[in-house]
Amino acid sequence: MNKFYIGVKYSADFLIALILVVALSPLMLGIAIAIKAEDGGVVIFKQRRTGAGGKKFNCYKFRSMKSTDVSYDKDKRVILDSNPNLTHVGKLIRKFKLDELPQLFNILRGDMCFIAPRPLLPVFDTDYEDWEMVKFEMRPGLTGLGQVYGNGHLSIKDRKFYDVYYVMHVSLWMDIKITLKTVGVVLFGEKRYLRPVSEQEYRRLKREVRRHYTVSPETVAHLRPSSLL
């Protein structure tokens, strides 16, 4: 894990997010007006997610659903365009990932960065093996390695592999490649770039982490609070 690069990355991301908030404010205002005009509901949807160190934070999105009070199925993570709970505006902003724009403010707050493992709901916290908790040794991102290799079309095991792999091998070159691939995903869809992980790759990464990295006790404590009892 390149901690020096991660520190530089956080500083650069803050400055870039600040510039983008200013530059994209007319677009974000337009989206907010469209959401409000369609059904009069709230514009921003916030949801608790697990971030760096296993700590929880409010992740912001433009609301794309008619109702956000729906049960969550861990095994059915892909929301199809035909989902009846999607609004008309929601279908459009989700297609081009514009619903994620409010997370620029999460970056400014220090909750997130641009490229890193995506933050998941706390319901997944107990699903991580000890070595997979490496994911939480850095801030979550707007996009990441798992998002450019299939995202919700991947199994949760494969998504955790890509999350851990990214944190262990983070670099400027990897961030550039993910940025370019993210453009392709936005234009052509996630499923086109689906790349499942082989069992051999999974075992190799598991051995690498256990040999070279120990997850901080603070992270473990936040993810496994019962272990303190």
Side-chain angles (χ1 to χ4, degrees):
M1 181 188 299
N2 190 336
K3 292 187 177 181
F4 175 78
Y5 173 68
I6 291 173
V8 173
K9 172 187 174 76
Y10 289 165
S11 298
D13 282 359
F14 178 87
L15 293 175
I16 295 171
L18 190 59
I19 294 170
L20 287 177
V21 165
V22 175
L24 298 176
S25 56
L27 174 61
M28 289 192 282
L29 178 61
I31 293 172
I33 292 172
I35 292 172
K36 196 70 176 179
E38 180 170 358
D39 60 14
V42 298
V43 170
I44 299 296
F45 168 61
K46 65 179 181 179
Q47 189 176 58
R48 296 295 280 176
R49 297 289 179 104
T50 303
K55 297 179 181 179
K56 308 302 181 284
F57 71 98
N58 287 325
C59 183
Y60 302 115
K61 287 188 176 186
F62 281 122
R63 180 177 61 86
S64 60
M65 310 285 276
K66 297 173 185 176
S67 171
T68 55
D69 185 23
V70 294
S71 59
Y72 182 76
D73 188 341
K74 291 164 64 174
D75 298 318
K76 295 181 180 179
R77 298 175 301 281
V78 178
I79 297 176
L80 301 175
D81 290 342
S82 58
N83 189 304
N85 196 35
L86 282 172
T87 65
H88 295 298
V89 174
K91 290 179 182 179
L92 180 63
I93 62 176
R94 287 179 68 92
K95 180 179 180 179
F96 296 103
K97 308 297 183 183
L98 298 176
D99 59 320
E100 312 282 358
L101 284 177
Q103 287 164 43
L104 290 171
F105 293 98
N106 282 121
I107 295 175
L108 293 178
R109 286 166 52 91
D111 299 324
M112 298 177 64
C113 57
F114 279 105
I115 300 173
R118 282 292 292 169
L120 297 183
L121 294 167
V123 69
F124 288 98
D125 285 359
T126 57
D127 294 346
Y128 290 91
E129 295 184 26
D130 55 352
W131 68 277
E132 292 173 334
M133 294 183 193
V134 169
K135 165 184 176 174
F136 300 100
E137 296 291 86
M138 68 177 296
R139 296 172 189 172
L142 273 172
T143 187
L145 200 58
Q147 282 59 57
V148 299
Y149 281 132
N151 197 22
H153 297 282
L154 291 167
S155 69
I156 189 63
K157 181 178 178 180
D158 287 358
R159 289 183 70 180
K160 288 191 289 186
F161 169 89
Y162 283 122
D163 289 347
V164 174
Y165 186 91
Y166 176 83
V167 175
M168 291 296 293
H169 300 92
V170 57
S171 68
L172 176 60
W173 177 235
M174 183 177 289
D175 281 350
I176 291 172
K177 289 194 291 185
I178 291 173
T179 300
L180 295 175
K181 285 180 178 290
T182 298
V183 175
V185 168
V186 170
L187 293 176
F188 304 111
E190 295 172 342
K191 200 167 185 179
R192 178 169 180 172
Y193 297 92
L194 179 61
R195 184 187 180 279
V197 179
S198 70
E199 191 61 33
Q200 183 180 17
E201 289 175 298
Y202 185 83
R203 289 197 301 266
R204 187 186 306 124
L205 181 62
K206 185 175 182 178
R207 288 195 300 269
E208 178 187 352
V209 175
R210 288 184 165 168
R211 286 173 183 169
H212 302 293
Y213 198 84
T214 300
V215 177
S216 67
E218 292 81 6
T219 297
V220 175
H222 280 107
L223 292 171
R224 302 281 190 272
S226 59
S227 64
L228 300 179
L229 302 178

